[in-house]
Amino acid sequence: LSGWLWSTVAVLLVVIFFGYTLSVVLKQRRLTEVQRDFINNITHELQTPVSTIRIAADVLQSDTIIQQPDRLKQYARVLGEESRRLQKQINSVLQLARSERSGFVLDKTDVDLHDIMRTVADGFAPYVTLDLAATNAQIMADGYHLETALNNLIDNAIKYCDTTPCVILQTRLEHGQLIWSVSDNGIGITPEHQKAVFRQFFRVASGHTHNVKGFGLGLYYVQQVIRAHGWRLTLMSKPGQGSRFEIKSERVNVRMSEKLTQNYSL
Ligand code: ADP
């Protein structure tokens, strides 16, 4: 019996060893693929605005441009837009590098989510509609990260849309908790990709997506911001119909504001 036992144990150990080695090799291979995609992607993404800036700068230096105020303005606008795009892309990579190095350090204060939503929506008019609950929307949050995360979600909602984008920022109260969401009428995300989209550098491999610029870092960042705050993020999406990113947060000063409402109603 003991001989049989030992051979079973030996076989089990061999199976575990090979299983483990295989999983390490597969993980390594996936990392290499992700790294290669990222480098290809980043090279392409950074090269495009740099080339456009160089061309616009060459045109602006030509002798005849000064006699053509309309073209002059047009190229100056291109310079502005492309350098802003470049800045945005560099920021997203720096943001990631910073959070990888020192973790997510939040500077939380008492902020009004509705005010932040109004400010962010203004930047994306006319595509964004607000549907805000008539309630206190004070939450303890890092205003900068919250605003950037909202920007990323709206930016995606507009990018991944075949028709005219229609994005709704909504807040509502449920069992005393503040639920807020960003919904779109875009291309949607298939169920098998709904987890993966939150991974670093992941982009859905479809022709459509790759016509659209991106590093695959936006949702990873959003997820980090939500987790660092201790909130919950849920993604609901149907291919061809749209997506909804929903977040649950605790409000602050609830008792005070509710008392105030009671007093007013007396
Ligand atoms: P990026 O937009 O830079 O590719 P993200 O991390 O923001 O990176 O998104 C990862 C992927 O998830 C995108 O490439 C896209 O395939 C998909 N995705 C994100 N947001 C949406 C959305 N609102 N609708 C459809 N697909 C989306």
Side-chain angles (χ1 to χ4, degrees):
L1 180 73
S2 79
W4 178 84
L5 195 68
W6 279 116
S7 38
T8 311
V9 170
V11 169
L12 267 179
L13 283 176
V14 170
V15 169
I16 291 172
F17 173 75
F18 279 110
Y20 177 73
T21 315
L22 189 68
S23 84
V24 169
V25 169
L26 288 179
K27 205 170 168 190
Q28 193 56 44
R29 187 192 282 178
R30 208 182 69 75
L31 272 178
T32 317
E33 273 169 17
V34 163
Q35 232 165 11
R36 194 198 47 219
D37 282 357
F38 176 62
I39 291 169
N40 286 342
N41 206 5
I42 204 166
T43 314
H44 177 253
E45 290 291 302
L46 297 181
Q47 246 167 17
T48 313
V50 170
S51 317
T52 316
I53 288 172
R54 204 184 47 239
I55 294 167
D58 285 346
V59 174
L60 287 175
Q61 281 176 52
S62 69
D63 294 331
T64 51
I65 192 85
I66 204 79
Q67 284 117 40
Q68 305 168 339
D70 281 352
R71 279 192 77 210
L72 196 130
K73 265 196 197 152
Q74 180 196 341
Y75 281 96
R77 199 170 47 241
V78 169
L79 278 185
E81 278 167 10
E82 289 302 308
S83 46
R84 265 193 297 279
R85 188 149 86 93
L86 199 55
Q87 181 73 60
K88 223 168 126 186
Q89 283 158 341
I90 292 171
N91 281 352
S92 69
V93 178
L94 286 181
Q95 188 93 62
L96 178 80
R98 222 175 287 139
S99 68
E100 293 287 293
R101 207 175 43 239
S102 49
F104 235 92
V105 186
L106 295 181
D107 179 14
K108 287 209 240 175
T109 52
D110 188 346
V111 298
D112 187 329
L113 176 65
H114 286 168
D115 280 350
I116 294 184
M117 284 183 156
R118 282 188 201 101
T119 311
V120 177
D122 265 358
F124 291 96
Y127 301 125
V128 180
T129 312
L130 293 168
D131 175 14
L132 307 180
T135 176
N136 156 18
Q138 298 292 128
I139 53 178
M140 282 305 280
D142 183 311
Y144 169 77
H145 285 301
L146 178 55
E147 198 172 318
T148 316
L150 259 173
N151 257 300
N152 281 353
L153 289 174
I154 302 174
D155 203 41
N156 278 348
I158 294 172
K159 276 195 316 191
Y160 302 109
C161 189
D162 275 337
T163 50
T164 307
C166 163
V167 188
I168 302 173
L169 298 191
Q170 193 186 48
T171 59
R172 65 175 202 278
L173 266 189
E174 211 177 270
H175 308 302
Q177 274 192 318
L178 189 65
I179 319 276
W180 49 281
S181 59
V182 178
S183 315
D184 65 58
N185 60 335
I187 58 171
I189 303 170
T190 54
E192 75 261 30
H193 288 139
Q194 289 180 14
K195 251 191 173 161
V197 288
F198 294 100
R199 287 206 307 252
Q200 275 183 79
F201 311 128
F202 181 88
R203 307 196 73 214
V204 174
S206 78
H208 181 107
T209 307
H210 287 279
N211 294 333
V212 176
K213 312 275 172 231
F215 289 149
L217 291 176
L219 288 182
Y220 173 73
Y221 167 79
V222 170
Q223 174 89 296
Q224 277 197 318
V225 172
I226 302 302
R227 283 198 180 143
H229 280 88
W231 300 333
R232 269 196 57 187
L233 169 72
T234 320
L235 163 61
M236 286 153 271
S237 186
K238 276 211 176 130
Q241 289 186 23
S243 310
R244 179 183 177 90
F245 293 83
E246 195 171 89
I247 293 110
K248 265 189 196 160
S249 313
E250 295 291 339
R251 288 178 305 158
V252 290
N253 298 336
V254 178
R255 272 198 214 117
M256 204 177 82
S257 67
E258 244 119 66
K259 253 193 202 144
L260 275 176
T261 325
Q262 273 175 12
N263 288 345
Y264 280 127
S265 59
L266 277 175

